[in-house]
Amino acid sequence: MKRLASDVLVSRLLDWGVETVFGLPGDGINGVMEGLRRHADRIRFVLVHHEEAAAFMATAYAKATGRLGVCLATSGPGGIHLANGLYDAKLDHQPVLAITGMQETSVLGTGYQQEVHLDRFFSDVSVYNEMVVNPAQLPGLVDIAIRTAYARRGVAHLTVPNDIQVAEAGQQPYEAVAPARPPATAPISLPPQVRPRDEDLRAAARLLDDGGRTAILAGIGARGAGRLVEQLAEVLGAPVIKTLSGKMVLADDSPYTTGGLGLLGTAPSEDLVEDIDTLVMLGTNFPYTKHLPQPGKVQTVQVEIEPVRVGVRMPTQLPLVGDVAATLEALLPMLHRRTDRTHLERYQAKMRDWRAKMAALESPRRDPIAPQYLASLLDDLATDDAVLTCDSGTIATWAARHWTIRGNREFYLSGNLATMAPGLPYAIAIQHAYPDRQVIAFQGDGGFAMLMAEFHTACRYRLPIKVVINNNNSLGQILWEQMVLGYPEHGIRFGEPQADYAAWARGCGALGVQVDKADALGPALREALAHPGPALVDVAVDPNEPPMPGKVTYEQAKEFGRAFLRGQPNKVAIATTLFKDRIQRLRRA
């Protein structure tokens, strides 16, 4: 049996330590599938129902492990389906390799069936993007693609025409005329140990020592440096704001953190950014600039591994280009501890009050079920090393405020793309990577419905993921976004008949439970979390519960009122829910 070019491709993936490929086969990629079959004892192919899910899985695998995520799709429409998940990897800076098929080289340019030039299609999403046109290019292009994905923290794409996939390995079909030979490369990539220059560190230390009221904004780039971030907070007497993607940098009960920032954040964090003269940004490219201090109001020190991202959101007086942990290890000995703790203590008091207000909304006495109660009960029952994956929408608000990072817990969602649907495929990929950990997908009904077929994937592979659906039978986030613009809601409620997602879970051979009363919620979640296989709990929550920002501005309140005056169809139910929220807070106070 001759060795194929696809054998070389797959063998090189193995040399790079790739253990799992997520994808969906087709006639445009069957040569690579044969390469995967020949090496099935060493590399696992995870068959999905939709290529978008495969790309999400590769992204989640990269996020959770730090290793390359790999996805595969056929030519034409199959490759196109990868795009959303690959943009998730691009915008969150994750190393992913996408492998796609292509029509045979002899028919390219003739308008052959499904002829889509995926190398052109992926030109924006990728940091490396090539079509293999000669078997002799392998394995060199594989090495370059993977090395580039790691180095530039992004998507690499290789598209391989059908005839090249099944050609004899190493075949050089054309006469060589250049003074060159096919590249001889190696499957090696070493991350640089990036530490800022000493003079930059000393300048930053002087600025921070002279600074007054200081805050730290920590993003996902500070992951793994939580201990050092807390040391910096202690030395500077500075509260720590966490971005949503950076939620797991510090425990949520840390005495230094004020939680998140922005629409999903906390009131203390909103107050804090208006009450400082010095800002330290650690591993974050936080995009919502309206929630940052006014330019010119603060002195900014930013630690960022990618020089291009320094100063993109705030004028940065002292950019420190480097890894957060390496930078803080070098910077901390240069700083002097502040003895005045007034600033820090003020925000510690504000956070105690905020936590009490959030706890007041977690009432089991509400009917319909309050989504805050669902999120808090899930938080109480999950293990201290649980991984929570989350979707975009109101579900992200409840997770941000009521899922607490403690122990070895982790939290993943689509950060900068903020797309719907990744929660379930994220959970599947992370459970593949960490089979012994508790992995929970916390989703809205809108996001779950988009890729719900992948629950069957979890069942086929006997993955014990738990899916908890916050079911408001609507596109809840869009509802409130419409109203805050002053418009009555339109086109966001799914109505009748309502989908029975628990029945779908049972149809897949898993545990499926539907809950619409608060007193049944605890037993249902306990049963699902204890179940040895995949389980789904579909929870009917109050569809009129607003994901209110930490601080409501006058303009937001005014436009909200205008939506009522212009004919908001569910204004009585919404007003009733808001009244219940207020009563719960008063009871707690």
Side-chain angles (χ1 to χ4, degrees), residues 214-219 222 225-243 246-261 266 268-270 272-273 276 278-282 284 328 343-345 347-348 351 355:
T214 302
I216 299 167
L217 178 61
R227 176 183 59 83
L228 295 166
V229 174
E230 285 197 319
Q231 288 179 20
L232 181 66
E234 168 61 24
V235 169
L236 298 178
V240 180
I241 301 166
K242 300 188 294 181
T243 68
K247 182 175 173 64
M248 59 183 160
V249 171
L250 288 185
D252 280 305
D253 62 358
S254 167
Y256 300 102
T257 187
T258 59
L261 185 63
T266 71
S269 291
E270 292 288 329
L272 180 59
V273 295
I276 57 173
T278 306
L279 177 66
V280 183
M281 300 175 70
L282 301 176
T284 178
L328 292 185
H343 177 61
L344 177 60
E345 290 168 357
Y347 285 92
Q348 288 172 333
M351 274 307 289
R355 290 184 180 112

Short mmCIF file of all heavy atoms in Angstrom, two decimals, residues 214-219 222 225-243 246-261 266 268-270 272-273 276 278-282 284 328 343-345 347-348 351 355:
data_model
loop_
_atom_site.label_atom_id
_atom_site.label_comp_id
_atom_site.label_asym_id
_atom_site.label_seq_id
_atom_site.Cartn_x
_atom_site.Cartn_y
_atom_site.Cartn_z
N THR A 214 -5.47 53.86 42.47
CA THR A 214 -5.09 52.97 41.38
C THR A 214 -6.09 51.82 41.25
O THR A 214 -6.62 51.34 42.26
CB THR A 214 -3.68 52.40 41.61
OG1 THR A 214 -2.76 53.49 41.73
CG2 THR A 214 -3.25 51.49 40.48
N ALA A 215 -6.33 51.40 40.03
CA ALA A 215 -7.11 50.19 39.76
C ALA A 215 -6.34 49.30 38.81
O ALA A 215 -5.54 49.78 37.99
CB ALA A 215 -8.48 50.53 39.19
N ILE A 216 -6.58 48.01 38.91
CA ILE A 216 -5.99 47.02 38.01
C ILE A 216 -7.11 46.41 37.18
O ILE A 216 -8.15 46.01 37.73
CB ILE A 216 -5.26 45.91 38.79
CG1 ILE A 216 -4.11 46.51 39.62
CG2 ILE A 216 -4.74 44.82 37.86
CD1 ILE A 216 -3.54 45.55 40.66
N LEU A 217 -6.93 46.35 35.87
CA LEU A 217 -7.87 45.69 34.98
C LEU A 217 -7.18 44.45 34.42
O LEU A 217 -6.22 44.56 33.65
CB LEU A 217 -8.30 46.62 33.84
CG LEU A 217 -9.25 46.04 32.79
CD1 LEU A 217 -10.57 45.61 33.42
CD2 LEU A 217 -9.49 47.03 31.66
N ALA A 218 -7.66 43.27 34.83
CA ALA A 218 -7.01 42.01 34.46
C ALA A 218 -7.87 41.25 33.45
O ALA A 218 -9.07 41.05 33.67
CB ALA A 218 -6.79 41.14 35.70
N GLY A 219 -7.23 40.83 32.36
CA GLY A 219 -7.92 40.06 31.33
C GLY A 219 -7.40 38.64 31.25
O GLY A 219 -6.57 38.21 32.05
N ALA A 222 -3.82 37.42 31.70
CA ALA A 222 -3.23 37.25 33.04
C ALA A 222 -3.55 35.89 33.63
O ALA A 222 -3.23 35.64 34.80
CB ALA A 222 -3.73 38.35 33.97
N ALA A 225 -1.52 33.86 36.37
CA ALA A 225 -0.73 34.81 37.15
C ALA A 225 -1.54 35.41 38.29
O ALA A 225 -1.21 36.48 38.80
CB ALA A 225 -0.21 35.92 36.23
N GLY A 226 -2.60 34.73 38.71
CA GLY A 226 -3.49 35.27 39.73
C GLY A 226 -2.80 35.63 41.02
O GLY A 226 -3.07 36.68 41.63
N ARG A 227 -1.88 34.78 41.46
CA ARG A 227 -1.15 35.05 42.70
C ARG A 227 -0.35 36.35 42.58
O ARG A 227 -0.33 37.17 43.51
CB ARG A 227 -0.21 33.88 43.01
CG ARG A 227 0.67 34.07 44.24
CD ARG A 227 1.60 32.89 44.41
NE ARG A 227 2.45 32.69 43.26
CZ ARG A 227 3.59 33.35 43.04
NH1 ARG A 227 4.00 34.28 43.88
NH2 ARG A 227 4.32 33.08 41.97
N LEU A 228 0.27 36.56 41.45
CA LEU A 228 1.06 37.77 41.23
C LEU A 228 0.16 39.01 41.10
O LEU A 228 0.53 40.10 41.56
CB LEU A 228 1.92 37.62 39.98
CG LEU A 228 3.01 36.53 40.06
CD1 LEU A 228 3.56 36.23 38.68
CD2 LEU A 228 4.13 36.96 41.00
N VAL A 229 -1.01 38.84 40.49
CA VAL A 229 -1.95 39.95 40.38
C VAL A 229 -2.39 40.38 41.77
O VAL A 229 -2.48 41.59 42.08
CB VAL A 229 -3.16 39.57 39.51
CG1 VAL A 229 -4.21 40.68 39.52
CG2 VAL A 229 -2.72 39.28 38.08
N GLU A 230 -2.66 39.42 42.64
CA GLU A 230 -3.06 39.76 44.01
C GLU A 230 -1.91 40.43 44.77
O GLU A 230 -2.14 41.36 45.57
CB GLU A 230 -3.52 38.51 44.76
CG GLU A 230 -4.89 38.03 44.33
CD GLU A 230 -5.52 37.08 45.33
OE1 GLU A 230 -4.79 36.22 45.86
OE2 GLU A 230 -6.73 37.18 45.57
N GLN A 231 -0.70 39.99 44.52
CA GLN A 231 0.44 40.65 45.16
C GLN A 231 0.56 42.10 44.70
O GLN A 231 0.84 42.99 45.53
CB GLN A 231 1.74 39.89 44.84
CG GLN A 231 1.86 38.55 45.54
CD GLN A 231 3.14 37.82 45.19
OE1 GLN A 231 4.12 38.43 44.72
NE2 GLN A 231 3.16 36.51 45.39
N LEU A 232 0.35 42.34 43.43
CA LEU A 232 0.39 43.71 42.92
C LEU A 232 -0.72 44.54 43.55
O LEU A 232 -0.50 45.70 43.94
CB LEU A 232 0.23 43.70 41.40
CG LEU A 232 0.29 45.07 40.71
CD1 LEU A 232 1.68 45.68 40.85
CD2 LEU A 232 -0.11 44.95 39.24
N ALA A 233 -1.91 43.96 43.67
CA ALA A 233 -3.04 44.66 44.30
C ALA A 233 -2.72 45.02 45.75
O ALA A 233 -3.04 46.11 46.22
CB ALA A 233 -4.29 43.80 44.21
N GLU A 234 -2.08 44.09 46.45
CA GLU A 234 -1.73 44.34 47.85
C GLU A 234 -0.69 45.46 47.96
O GLU A 234 -0.81 46.36 48.79
CB GLU A 234 -1.19 43.04 48.46
CG GLU A 234 -0.52 43.18 49.82
CD GLU A 234 -1.44 43.72 50.90
OE1 GLU A 234 -2.67 43.57 50.78
OE2 GLU A 234 -0.91 44.29 51.88
N VAL A 235 0.32 45.44 47.13
CA VAL A 235 1.37 46.45 47.18
C VAL A 235 0.81 47.83 46.84
O VAL A 235 1.13 48.82 47.52
CB VAL A 235 2.52 46.08 46.21
CG1 VAL A 235 3.49 47.24 46.05
CG2 VAL A 235 3.26 44.85 46.72
N LEU A 236 -0.05 47.90 45.83
CA LEU A 236 -0.57 49.19 45.38
C LEU A 236 -1.83 49.63 46.11
O LEU A 236 -2.29 50.76 45.94
CB LEU A 236 -0.87 49.14 43.88
CG LEU A 236 0.30 48.86 42.94
CD1 LEU A 236 -0.19 48.78 41.50
CD2 LEU A 236 1.38 49.94 43.08
N GLY A 237 -2.41 48.73 46.93
CA GLY A 237 -3.68 49.03 47.56
C GLY A 237 -4.75 49.27 46.50
O GLY A 237 -5.60 50.16 46.64
N ALA A 238 -4.71 48.46 45.45
CA ALA A 238 -5.54 48.70 44.26
C ALA A 238 -6.56 47.59 44.07
O ALA A 238 -6.20 46.40 44.02
CB ALA A 238 -4.65 48.78 43.02
N PRO A 239 -7.83 47.92 43.93
CA PRO A 239 -8.84 46.91 43.58
C PRO A 239 -8.59 46.38 42.17
O PRO A 239 -8.04 47.08 41.32
CB PRO A 239 -10.16 47.68 43.66
CG PRO A 239 -9.86 48.92 44.43
CD PRO A 239 -8.44 49.25 44.15
N VAL A 240 -9.04 45.15 41.93
CA VAL A 240 -8.84 44.48 40.65
C VAL A 240 -10.18 44.26 39.96
O VAL A 240 -11.07 43.59 40.50
CB VAL A 240 -8.13 43.12 40.83
CG1 VAL A 240 -7.93 42.44 39.47
CG2 VAL A 240 -6.81 43.28 41.55
N ILE A 241 -10.32 44.84 38.77
CA ILE A 241 -11.47 44.58 37.91
C ILE A 241 -11.11 43.42 36.98
O ILE A 241 -9.98 43.36 36.48
CB ILE A 241 -11.82 45.82 37.07
CG1 ILE A 241 -12.12 47.02 37.98
CG2 ILE A 241 -12.97 45.55 36.13
CD1 ILE A 241 -12.15 48.35 37.23
N LYS A 242 -12.05 42.52 36.75
CA LYS A 242 -11.81 41.41 35.84
C LYS A 242 -12.69 41.55 34.60
O LYS A 242 -13.88 41.82 34.71
CB LYS A 242 -12.13 40.07 36.53
CG LYS A 242 -11.32 39.79 37.77
CD LYS A 242 -11.55 38.38 38.28
CE LYS A 242 -12.96 38.16 38.78
NZ LYS A 242 -13.15 36.77 39.28
N THR A 243 -12.10 41.37 33.43
CA THR A 243 -12.92 41.29 32.23
C THR A 243 -13.70 39.97 32.28
O THR A 243 -13.36 39.06 33.04
CB THR A 243 -12.08 41.33 30.96
OG1 THR A 243 -11.29 40.12 30.86
CG2 THR A 243 -11.15 42.53 30.95
N GLY A 246 -11.60 37.16 31.42
CA GLY A 246 -10.60 37.00 32.46
C GLY A 246 -11.19 36.67 33.82
O GLY A 246 -10.51 36.80 34.84
N LYS A 247 -12.43 36.22 33.85
CA LYS A 247 -13.11 35.95 35.12
C LYS A 247 -12.35 34.98 36.01
O LYS A 247 -12.35 35.11 37.23
CB LYS A 247 -14.52 35.42 34.82
CG LYS A 247 -15.38 35.14 36.05
CD LYS A 247 -16.79 34.73 35.63
CE LYS A 247 -17.63 34.28 36.82
NZ LYS A 247 -17.87 35.38 37.78
N MET A 248 -11.66 33.99 35.40
CA MET A 248 -11.00 32.99 36.22
C MET A 248 -9.58 33.37 36.64
O MET A 248 -8.88 32.56 37.24
CB MET A 248 -10.99 31.64 35.50
CG MET A 248 -10.29 31.62 34.17
SD MET A 248 -10.45 29.99 33.41
CE MET A 248 -10.12 30.36 31.70
N VAL A 249 -9.16 34.59 36.34
CA VAL A 249 -7.82 35.02 36.77
C VAL A 249 -7.73 35.06 38.29
O VAL A 249 -6.73 34.65 38.89
CB VAL A 249 -7.48 36.40 36.17
CG1 VAL A 249 -6.21 36.97 36.79
CG2 VAL A 249 -7.31 36.29 34.67
N LEU A 250 -8.79 35.57 38.94
CA LEU A 250 -8.85 35.63 40.40
C LEU A 250 -10.13 34.97 40.88
O LEU A 250 -11.16 35.02 40.21
CB LEU A 250 -8.86 37.09 40.89
CG LEU A 250 -7.60 37.94 40.79
CD1 LEU A 250 -7.86 39.28 41.46
CD2 LEU A 250 -6.41 37.26 41.40
N ALA A 251 -10.08 34.42 42.08
CA ALA A 251 -11.30 33.91 42.71
C ALA A 251 -12.27 35.06 42.95
O ALA A 251 -11.87 36.18 43.24
CB ALA A 251 -10.96 33.22 44.02
N ASP A 252 -13.56 34.77 42.83
CA ASP A 252 -14.55 35.82 43.00
C ASP A 252 -14.70 36.27 44.44
O ASP A 252 -15.28 37.33 44.69
CB ASP A 252 -15.90 35.37 42.44
CG ASP A 252 -15.97 35.51 40.93
OD1 ASP A 252 -15.72 36.62 40.43
OD2 ASP A 252 -16.25 34.51 40.24
N ASP A 253 -14.19 35.49 45.39
CA ASP A 253 -14.22 35.94 46.79
C ASP A 253 -12.89 36.58 47.21
O ASP A 253 -12.67 36.83 48.39
CB ASP A 253 -14.57 34.79 47.73
CG ASP A 253 -13.54 33.66 47.69
OD1 ASP A 253 -12.58 33.74 46.90
OD2 ASP A 253 -13.71 32.69 48.44
N SER A 254 -12.02 36.85 46.24
CA SER A 254 -10.77 37.53 46.56
C SER A 254 -11.08 38.89 47.20
O SER A 254 -11.97 39.62 46.74
CB SER A 254 -9.94 37.75 45.30
OG SER A 254 -8.88 38.65 45.53
N PRO A 255 -10.35 39.27 48.23
CA PRO A 255 -10.59 40.58 48.86
C PRO A 255 -10.18 41.74 47.98
O PRO A 255 -10.43 42.90 48.33
CB PRO A 255 -9.73 40.52 50.13
CG PRO A 255 -8.65 39.53 49.81
CD PRO A 255 -9.30 38.50 48.93
N TYR A 256 -9.58 41.46 46.85
CA TYR A 256 -9.08 42.54 45.99
C TYR A 256 -10.00 42.84 44.80
O TYR A 256 -9.92 43.92 44.23
CB TYR A 256 -7.68 42.19 45.46
CG TYR A 256 -6.68 41.99 46.56
CD1 TYR A 256 -6.30 40.72 46.96
CD2 TYR A 256 -6.13 43.08 47.24
CE1 TYR A 256 -5.39 40.52 47.98
CE2 TYR A 256 -5.22 42.90 48.27
CZ TYR A 256 -4.86 41.62 48.63
OH TYR A 256 -3.96 41.43 49.66
N THR A 257 -10.86 41.89 44.43
CA THR A 257 -11.59 42.10 43.17
C THR A 257 -12.91 42.81 43.36
O THR A 257 -13.60 42.63 44.36
CB THR A 257 -11.83 40.76 42.45
OG1 THR A 257 -12.39 41.03 41.16
CG2 THR A 257 -12.77 39.86 43.23
N THR A 258 -13.26 43.63 42.38
CA THR A 258 -14.57 44.27 42.31
C THR A 258 -15.42 43.65 41.20
O THR A 258 -16.43 44.21 40.81
CB THR A 258 -14.45 45.78 42.06
OG1 THR A 258 -13.73 46.00 40.83
CG2 THR A 258 -13.73 46.47 43.20
N GLY A 259 -15.01 42.51 40.68
CA GLY A 259 -15.78 41.83 39.66
C GLY A 259 -15.60 42.41 38.28
O GLY A 259 -14.56 43.01 37.97
N GLY A 260 -16.62 42.26 37.47
CA GLY A 260 -16.53 42.61 36.06
C GLY A 260 -16.80 44.07 35.78
O GLY A 260 -17.14 44.86 36.67
N LEU A 261 -16.67 44.42 34.50
CA LEU A 261 -16.86 45.80 34.04
C LEU A 261 -17.74 45.78 32.80
O LEU A 261 -17.69 44.84 32.01
CB LEU A 261 -15.51 46.42 33.70
CG LEU A 261 -15.49 47.91 33.31
CD1 LEU A 261 -15.97 48.78 34.45
CD2 LEU A 261 -14.10 48.33 32.86
N THR A 266 -20.20 44.98 37.51
CA THR A 266 -20.72 45.36 38.82
C THR A 266 -20.74 46.87 38.97
O THR A 266 -19.97 47.60 38.32
CB THR A 266 -19.87 44.76 39.94
OG1 THR A 266 -18.60 45.44 39.97
CG2 THR A 266 -19.64 43.27 39.75
N PRO A 268 -19.67 48.48 41.72
CA PRO A 268 -18.38 48.94 42.25
C PRO A 268 -17.31 49.13 41.18
O PRO A 268 -16.53 50.08 41.25
CB PRO A 268 -18.00 47.83 43.24
CG PRO A 268 -19.31 47.28 43.70
CD PRO A 268 -20.19 47.33 42.49
N SER A 269 -17.28 48.27 40.18
CA SER A 269 -16.30 48.44 39.10
C SER A 269 -16.60 49.70 38.30
O SER A 269 -15.68 50.43 37.89
CB SER A 269 -16.29 47.22 38.18
OG SER A 269 -15.76 46.08 38.84
N GLU A 270 -17.87 49.97 38.04
CA GLU A 270 -18.25 51.20 37.33
C GLU A 270 -17.83 52.43 38.13
O GLU A 270 -17.33 53.41 37.57
CB GLU A 270 -19.76 51.21 37.07
CG GLU A 270 -20.23 50.16 36.08
CD GLU A 270 -19.82 50.47 34.65
OE1 GLU A 270 -19.72 51.66 34.28
OE2 GLU A 270 -19.59 49.51 33.89
N LEU A 272 -15.44 52.54 40.30
CA LEU A 272 -13.99 52.55 40.43
C LEU A 272 -13.31 53.26 39.26
O LEU A 272 -12.37 54.04 39.46
CB LEU A 272 -13.48 51.12 40.56
CG LEU A 272 -11.97 50.91 40.70
CD1 LEU A 272 -11.42 51.63 41.93
CD2 LEU A 272 -11.66 49.41 40.79
N VAL A 273 -13.76 52.99 38.04
CA VAL A 273 -13.08 53.59 36.88
C VAL A 273 -13.25 55.11 36.85
O VAL A 273 -12.49 55.80 36.17
CB VAL A 273 -13.57 52.98 35.54
CG1 VAL A 273 -13.20 51.52 35.45
CG2 VAL A 273 -15.05 53.18 35.33
N ILE A 276 -10.27 56.99 39.85
CA ILE A 276 -8.85 56.66 39.87
C ILE A 276 -8.05 57.68 39.06
O ILE A 276 -8.59 58.38 38.21
CB ILE A 276 -8.59 55.24 39.30
CG1 ILE A 276 -9.13 55.10 37.87
CG2 ILE A 276 -9.14 54.18 40.21
CD1 ILE A 276 -8.77 53.81 37.18
N THR A 278 -4.77 56.33 38.22
CA THR A 278 -3.79 55.40 37.65
C THR A 278 -4.48 54.09 37.33
O THR A 278 -5.22 53.56 38.16
CB THR A 278 -2.63 55.14 38.63
OG1 THR A 278 -2.06 56.40 39.03
CG2 THR A 278 -1.55 54.30 37.99
N LEU A 279 -4.21 53.58 36.13
CA LEU A 279 -4.81 52.31 35.69
C LEU A 279 -3.70 51.38 35.24
O LEU A 279 -2.82 51.77 34.45
CB LEU A 279 -5.78 52.55 34.54
CG LEU A 279 -6.43 51.30 33.92
CD1 LEU A 279 -7.34 50.61 34.92
CD2 LEU A 279 -7.22 51.67 32.65
N VAL A 280 -3.75 50.14 35.73
CA VAL A 280 -2.82 49.10 35.29
C VAL A 280 -3.62 48.06 34.51
O VAL A 280 -4.54 47.44 35.06
CB VAL A 280 -2.11 48.42 36.48
CG1 VAL A 280 -1.10 47.39 35.98
CG2 VAL A 280 -1.44 49.45 37.37
N MET A 281 -3.30 47.89 33.24
CA MET A 281 -4.00 46.91 32.39
C MET A 281 -3.10 45.70 32.20
O MET A 281 -1.97 45.83 31.73
CB MET A 281 -4.35 47.54 31.05
CG MET A 281 -5.26 48.77 31.16
SD MET A 281 -5.55 49.60 29.57
CE MET A 281 -6.59 48.38 28.74
N LEU A 282 -3.62 44.53 32.57
CA LEU A 282 -2.83 43.31 32.53
C LEU A 282 -3.47 42.30 31.58
O LEU A 282 -4.54 41.75 31.86
CB LEU A 282 -2.74 42.69 33.93
CG LEU A 282 -2.12 43.53 35.03
CD1 LEU A 282 -2.19 42.79 36.37
CD2 LEU A 282 -0.67 43.88 34.70
N THR A 284 -5.10 42.45 28.72
CA THR A 284 -6.46 42.69 28.26
C THR A 284 -6.48 43.69 27.13
O THR A 284 -5.71 44.65 27.12
CB THR A 284 -7.36 43.20 29.41
OG1 THR A 284 -8.67 43.45 28.88
CG2 THR A 284 -6.82 44.47 30.03
N LEU A 328 5.30 40.79 35.95
CA LEU A 328 5.02 41.08 37.36
C LEU A 328 6.12 40.55 38.27
O LEU A 328 6.45 41.17 39.29
CB LEU A 328 3.66 40.50 37.75
CG LEU A 328 2.44 41.16 37.10
CD1 LEU A 328 1.15 40.55 37.67
CD2 LEU A 328 2.45 42.67 37.32
N HIS A 343 -8.43 53.61 49.89
CA HIS A 343 -9.01 53.38 48.56
C HIS A 343 -9.47 51.93 48.41
O HIS A 343 -10.61 51.65 48.00
CB HIS A 343 -7.96 53.73 47.51
CG HIS A 343 -8.37 53.50 46.10
ND1 HIS A 343 -9.44 54.13 45.50
CD2 HIS A 343 -7.83 52.67 45.14
CE1 HIS A 343 -9.55 53.73 44.25
NE2 HIS A 343 -8.59 52.84 44.01
N LEU A 344 -8.60 50.99 48.76
CA LEU A 344 -8.94 49.58 48.65
C LEU A 344 -10.11 49.23 49.57
O LEU A 344 -11.05 48.53 49.17
CB LEU A 344 -7.72 48.73 48.99
CG LEU A 344 -7.92 47.21 49.01
CD1 LEU A 344 -8.38 46.70 47.64
CD2 LEU A 344 -6.65 46.50 49.45
N GLU A 345 -10.06 49.72 50.80
CA GLU A 345 -11.11 49.38 51.77
C GLU A 345 -12.47 49.93 51.36
O GLU A 345 -13.51 49.31 51.60
CB GLU A 345 -10.71 49.89 53.16
CG GLU A 345 -9.54 49.12 53.75
CD GLU A 345 -8.96 49.79 54.98
OE1 GLU A 345 -9.44 50.90 55.34
OE2 GLU A 345 -8.03 49.23 55.59
N TYR A 347 -13.64 50.13 48.36
CA TYR A 347 -14.23 49.25 47.35
C TYR A 347 -14.47 47.84 47.87
O TYR A 347 -15.35 47.12 47.37
CB TYR A 347 -13.39 49.29 46.07
CG TYR A 347 -13.66 50.59 45.36
CD1 TYR A 347 -12.85 51.71 45.59
CD2 TYR A 347 -14.78 50.74 44.56
CE1 TYR A 347 -13.14 52.93 45.01
CE2 TYR A 347 -15.07 51.96 43.98
CZ TYR A 347 -14.26 53.05 44.20
OH TYR A 347 -14.58 54.26 43.64
N GLN A 348 -13.77 47.45 48.90
CA GLN A 348 -14.12 46.20 49.57
C GLN A 348 -15.49 46.31 50.21
O GLN A 348 -16.30 45.38 50.15
CB GLN A 348 -13.05 45.85 50.61
CG GLN A 348 -11.74 45.40 49.97
CD GLN A 348 -10.61 45.22 50.97
OE1 GLN A 348 -10.60 45.89 52.03
NE2 GLN A 348 -9.66 44.36 50.66
N MET A 351 -18.13 46.17 47.52
CA MET A 351 -18.35 44.82 47.02
C MET A 351 -19.19 43.98 48.00
O MET A 351 -19.98 43.13 47.57
CB MET A 351 -17.02 44.12 46.74
CG MET A 351 -16.46 44.40 45.36
SD MET A 351 -17.64 44.04 44.02
CE MET A 351 -17.70 42.27 44.05
N ARG A 355 -22.51 42.19 46.64
CA ARG A 355 -22.76 40.75 46.79
C ARG A 355 -24.08 40.50 47.50
O ARG A 355 -24.81 39.56 47.16
CB ARG A 355 -21.59 40.10 47.52
CG ARG A 355 -20.30 40.05 46.69
CD ARG A 355 -19.20 39.30 47.43
NE ARG A 355 -17.98 39.26 46.64
CZ ARG A 355 -16.86 39.89 46.95
NH1 ARG A 355 -16.79 40.65 48.05
NH2 ARG A 355 -15.78 39.80 46.17
#
